[in-house]
Amino acid sequence: MSDTYFYIFAALTVGSALAVVFNKNAVAAALAFLFSLCGVAGLFLQLDAQLLAILLVLVYAGAVVALFLFIIMLLDMQGGERKPFKKVTIFASTIAGALLLLGVYSFAKRPELTQFPAAGQASNLLLDLKFYGAQLFTTYLLPVQVVGFLLLISMLGVIVLSKKFEGLEDVK
């Protein structure tokens, strides 16, 4: 039964990720990204990583997708005609795709991940909410604050970019 759930969540994740890439409408792509994140959260639940699944849904699906939708609506982006790709973009995409395939190949050739603790040990240590909270507010406090500050700056940048400057020529 768990194999069935795995295939359902994997298909949801991959299908939604492809919809994000190939969708011309930005709002529909953001919603497909939300479904993809929900699929990944389901995969985390399959791995008994409930805290990661909840954090993924709360942080990414809740905050980041809402921020994307906020930005899309403020910029009033419409789908439509896309510019053709430049040769530099095609070359960089080819290199990135080759590196991705190389990474997948090297991961597949590796026999097993030996550095991670066994599943029973991981559930005692890694799933402890107090442990995550203590790490988040002691060891990783500065990165969390920096990310929060970057999100604030990006929101301010979107507000400035989306502001209409019509009629300001009379002020000058």
Side-chain angles (χ1 to χ4, degrees):
M1 189 65 180
S2 71
D3 288 343
T4 305
Y5 287 134
F6 172 78
Y7 289 124
I8 290 171
F9 288 130
L12 176 68
T13 302
V14 172
S16 300
L18 289 174
V20 170
V21 173
F22 294 113
N23 205 332
K24 290 184 177 181
N25 188 347
V27 174
L31 291 177
F33 181 56
L34 175 68
F35 285 125
S36 179
L37 290 175
C38 289
V40 173
L43 291 173
F44 280 150
L45 287 176
Q46 289 280 303
L47 295 171
D48 288 332
Q50 291 87 1
L51 182 62
L52 285 177
I54 291 171
L55 287 177
L56 182 77
V57 169
L58 288 177
V59 173
Y60 285 100
V64 174
V65 173
L67 182 65
F68 284 169
L69 288 173
F70 178 71
I71 291 168
I72 290 166
M73 290 181 185
L74 274 178
L75 292 178
D76 196 22
M77 295 174 60
Q78 300 292 326
E81 294 295 321
R82 290 185 177 180
K83 297 178 184 175
F85 294 118
K86 296 178 182 176
K87 290 182 180 181
V88 174
T89 305
I90 294 171
F91 180 71
S93 300
T94 304
I95 289 175
L99 288 175
L100 178 66
L101 289 177
L102 181 66
V104 169
Y105 175 75
S106 66
F107 183 74
K109 293 300 276 183
R110 190 174 181 174
E112 65 182 63
L113 299 174
T114 57
Q115 296 177 352
F116 293 110
Q121 295 171 348
S123 65
N124 291 334
L125 178 64
L126 297 178
L127 296 180
D128 189 6
L129 187 58
K130 288 183 181 179
F131 174 73
Y132 276 119
Q135 290 293 313
L136 192 63
F137 289 107
T138 56
T139 306
Y140 300 107
L141 182 61
L142 182 62
V144 169
Q145 293 295 322
V146 168
V147 168
F149 186 71
L150 287 174
L151 285 174
L152 176 67
I153 294 298
S154 67
M155 284 182 59
L156 292 175
V158 166
I159 291 171
V160 169
L161 287 174
S162 65
K163 188 172 181 170
K164 307 287 184 203
F165 292 104
E166 297 170 359
L168 290 179
E169 290 82 22
D170 297 337
V171 177
K172 293 180 183 176

